[in-house]
């Protein structure tokens, strides 16, 4: 069959198997090129980077990029966990399912161990299964990446289901959004969250589950001396704070940051380890396209940063996080990352630079449908949106027949 993107309300509801695989391969190629330029030695070459990395939320975005960097730049064996819809011969799977297949294939070819579990990372059963896999490998974990993003979470003890929402707190939020397919600007409003919605969002996207993972791994004795763990967050510009940083998601992220402080104290004391939250750059995701003002902000920010030569995607961000923050010791050993006053790694530094934000603010104030192409990078935004789902990827023939949806 010929597969074309199916887009509904700024959300792509299908994926191209070959495109997803090719995009994953492009990220691997980028990391291999940076490994050569930085002269980083893999573990097998005598490097002291992570030998075994566990990536929770390994299938897309920052999680996939982290797994690729750990494996192909530092030579780490990896265990990845994500919850994906599996494809059949005639029915497509989620983008992450194809990304995981492509990663596993490339890792095997490179002689790296790759264990991928398609499972609910919020469950105790999955934690037990991961610990069993670690013990089978006869190693301990040097790096735990927590990159889970889910709209729902079932409490592993009470079995109660919690749903997250992206809403402001205290008052209605209004902002301008852009339709990436048409370039049409629309005004949207979001009602404020109630107390239950705030609490539920923190339950889903806060630090509780990250803490459960570290506790389980520590009690099982599968964490290495000097282990590092990192979770991902976003602060963003002041103009988006009402809907993001000061909204429900922001409350969850603040809880995540509090958890990092607690885990850092625990791991430092017990294993000489450390825990961090990395504040990353704003990028196109499945959810960002429908949050008021975020899509417009990102499209303008892309243009400004590309003009300044500082634009990065997921893989560029994670490669820089690893090489210039996490593993800066001798021979790529774990270093001590520079952090802000709240113990956060700031890999969003280029986005939040004063000159970048000043130029974005200037353009946001005067953007219209007529000058959108001049002020914003709609083509780049649309490309990133499509590439998440395996479309508009270089090197893919989108007119070619895909005989089986479960083969890449």
């Amino acid at each position: 069959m010929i597969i074309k993107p199916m887009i509904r309300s700024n959300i792509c509801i299908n994926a191209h198997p070959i495109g997803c695989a090719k995009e994953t391969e492009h990220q691997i190629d980028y990391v291999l090129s940076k490994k050569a330029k930085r002269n980083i030695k893999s573990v097998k070459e005598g490097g002291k980077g992570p030998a075994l990395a566990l990536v929770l939320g390994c299938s897309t975005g920052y999680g996939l990029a982290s797994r690729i960097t750990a494996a192909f730049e530092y030579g780490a064996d990896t265990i990845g966990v994500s919850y994906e819809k599996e494809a059949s011969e005639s029915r497509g799977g989620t983008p992450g399912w194809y990304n995981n297949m492509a990663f596993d294939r490339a890792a095997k070819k490179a002689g790296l161990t790759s264990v991928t579990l398609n499972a609910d990372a919020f469950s105790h059963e999955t934690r037990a299964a991961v610990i069993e896999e670690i013990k089978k490998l006869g190693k301990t974990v040097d790096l735990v990446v927590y990159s889970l993003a889910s709209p729902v979470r079932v409490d592993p003890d009470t079995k109660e289901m919690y749903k997250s929402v992206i809403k402001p707190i205290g008052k209605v939020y209004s902002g301008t959004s852009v339709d990436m397919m048409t370039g049409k600007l629309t005004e949207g409003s979001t009602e404020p969250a109630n107390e239950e919605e705030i609490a539920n969002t923190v339950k889903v996207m806060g630090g509780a589950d990250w803490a459960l993972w570290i506790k389980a791994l520590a009690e099982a004795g599968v964490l290495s001396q000097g282990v590092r763990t990192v979770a991902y967050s976003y602060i963003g510009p002041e103009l988006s704070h009402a809907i993001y940083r000061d909204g429900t998601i922001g409350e969850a992220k603040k809880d995540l940051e509090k958890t990092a402080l607690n885990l850092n104290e625990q791991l430092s004391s017990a294993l000489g380890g450390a825990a961090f939250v990395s504040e990353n750059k704003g990028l196109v995701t499945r959810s960002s396209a429908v949050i008021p003002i975020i899509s417009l902000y990102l499209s303008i920010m892309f243009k400004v940063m590309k003009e300044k030569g500082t634009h990065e995607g997921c893989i560029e961000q994670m490669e820089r996080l690893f090489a210039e923050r996490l593993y800066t010791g001798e021979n790529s050993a774990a270093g001590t990352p520079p952090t802000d006053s709240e113990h956060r790694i700031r890999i969003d530094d280029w986005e939040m630079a004063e000159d970048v934000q000043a130029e974005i603010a200037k353009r946001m104030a005067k953007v219209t449908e007529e000058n959108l192409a001049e002020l914003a990078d709609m083509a780049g935004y649309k490309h990133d949106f499509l590439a998440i789902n395996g479309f508009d990827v270089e090197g893919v023939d989108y007119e070619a027949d895909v005989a089986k949806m479960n083969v890449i």
Side-chain angles (χ1 to χ4, degrees):
M1 67 185 77
I2 307 299
I3 306 168
K4 300 294 183 183
M6 299 169 61
I7 298 169
R8 305 285 185 272
S9 302
N10 269 7
I11 296 174
C12 189
I13 60 175
N14 66 335
H16 196 288
I18 309 305
C20 289
K22 183 64 71 174
E23 180 66 9
T24 300
E25 291 165 8
H26 288 334
Q27 292 188 54
I28 292 170
D29 289 343
Y30 173 81
V31 158
L32 289 172
S33 72
K34 293 298 287 187
K35 177 182 186 298
K37 286 178 183 176
R38 294 185 189 273
N39 196 27
I40 289 175
K41 292 181 180 178
S42 70
V43 173
K44 288 181 180 177
E45 295 165 335
K48 296 180 181 178
L52 178 60
L54 169 61
V55 183
L56 304 166
C58 66
S59 61
T60 59
Y62 283 126
L64 174 62
S66 299
R67 193 180 191 192
I68 288 171
T69 302
F72 292 95
E73 191 157 13
Y74 293 86
D77 292 330
T78 62
I79 298 175
V81 182
S82 65
Y83 204 18
E84 306 298 332
K85 185 182 83 173
E86 187 173 344
S88 66
E89 283 193 16
S90 59
R91 187 190 65 209
T94 50
W97 193 77
Y98 297 119
N99 295 341
N100 285 341
M101 286 179 65
F103 177 89
D104 287 339
R105 180 174 64 188
K108 183 178 180 181
K109 186 177 178 181
L112 298 168
T113 297
S114 171
V115 179
T116 303
L117 281 71
N118 189 15
D120 178 9
F122 294 131
S123 75
H124 290 320
E125 291 78 12
T126 299
R127 277 183 270 276
V130 166
I131 288 167
E132 184 179 345
E133 292 293 338
I134 296 169
K135 289 181 175 179
K136 279 183 193 174
L137 294 176
K139 295 183 176 183
T140 52
V141 176
D142 306 292
L143 173 66
V144 181
V145 173
Y146 191 86
S147 185
L148 293 178
S150 171
V152 298
R153 174 178 174 238
V154 175
D155 186 287
D157 296 315
T158 67
K159 305 306 177 186
E160 186 174 354
M161 180 182 286
Y162 299 98
K163 294 183 179 181
S164 64
V165 296
I166 302 173
K167 288 187 175 184
I169 294 174
K171 59 182 179 180
V172 174
Y173 176 79
S174 298
T176 305
S177 295
V178 61
D179 186 315
M180 76 198 70
M181 304 308 292
T182 65
K184 185 175 177 59
L185 299 180
T186 57
E187 292 297 318
S189 296
T190 305
E191 293 294 318
N194 59 40
E195 290 302 318
E196 183 179 7
E197 288 174 321
I198 297 169
N200 286 353
T201 302
V202 172
K203 281 275 190 182
V204 176
M205 302 190 72
D209 185 67
W210 184 22
L212 286 175
W213 270 102
I214 299 302
K215 181 175 184 287
L217 295 167
E219 289 179 349
V222 295
L223 293 178
S224 301
Q225 190 71 26
V227 64
R228 295 289 188 267
T229 184
V230 60
Y232 298 140
S233 185
Y234 181 63
I235 294 175
E238 190 173 341
L239 64 89
S240 72
H241 282 187
I243 189 67
Y244 200 91
R245 188 66 189 180
D246 295 334
T248 54
I249 296 296
E251 288 301 298
K253 296 303 185 183
K254 290 166 192 172
D255 184 76
L256 189 74
E257 291 160 12
K258 245 185 249 181
T259 300
L261 291 172
N262 293 334
L263 291 178
N264 188 64
E265 187 176 338
Q266 294 168 25
L267 291 174
S268 175
S269 173
L271 295 165
F276 303 96
V277 164
S278 175
E279 303 291 352
N280 300 338
K281 174 178 179 283
L283 294 171
V284 180
T285 66
R286 288 170 154 245
S287 62
S288 65
V290 296
I291 305 173
I293 214 155
I294 295 295
S295 56
L296 182 59
Y297 166 79
L298 290 176
S299 62
I300 291 176
M301 181 258 283
F302 282 16
K303 180 112 175 180
V304 171
M305 294 189 73
K306 285 178 181 179
E307 289 171 356
K308 292 180 179 294
T310 57
H311 178 69
E312 296 174 305
C314 282
I315 194 63
E316 291 86 1
Q317 276 265 288
M318 292 301 95
E319 194 281 331
R320 188 160 67 94
L321 172 66
F322 276 57
E324 298 182 13
R325 300 292 191 274
L326 294 175
Y327 294 101
T328 56
E330 184 180 355
N331 203 7
S332 298
T336 303
T339 57
D340 65 13
S341 60
E342 298 182 53
H343 187 67
R344 301 176 301 197
I345 297 174
R346 301 301 298 268
I347 206 73
D348 64 347
D349 49 349
W350 294 355
E351 174 188 353
M352 300 311 297
E354 286 186 16
D355 61 331
V356 170
Q357 286 301 311
E359 181 60 28
I360 294 171
K362 189 192 306 180
R363 297 187 187 194
M364 287 288 290
K366 63 181 181 180
V367 68
T368 65
E369 289 181 7
E370 289 68 34
N371 63 18
L372 183 64
E374 175 191 346
L375 300 181
D377 180 22
M378 289 308 300
Y381 185 96
K382 182 179 177 181
H383 164 76
D384 286 4
F385 172 82
L386 291 171
I388 291 170
N389 295 276
F391 298 102
D392 200 34
V393 176
E394 185 180 352
V396 179
D397 181 1
Y398 289 101
E399 300 304 321
D401 180 61
V402 177
K404 296 180 179 180
M405 293 296 290
N406 60 350
V407 177
I408 59 172

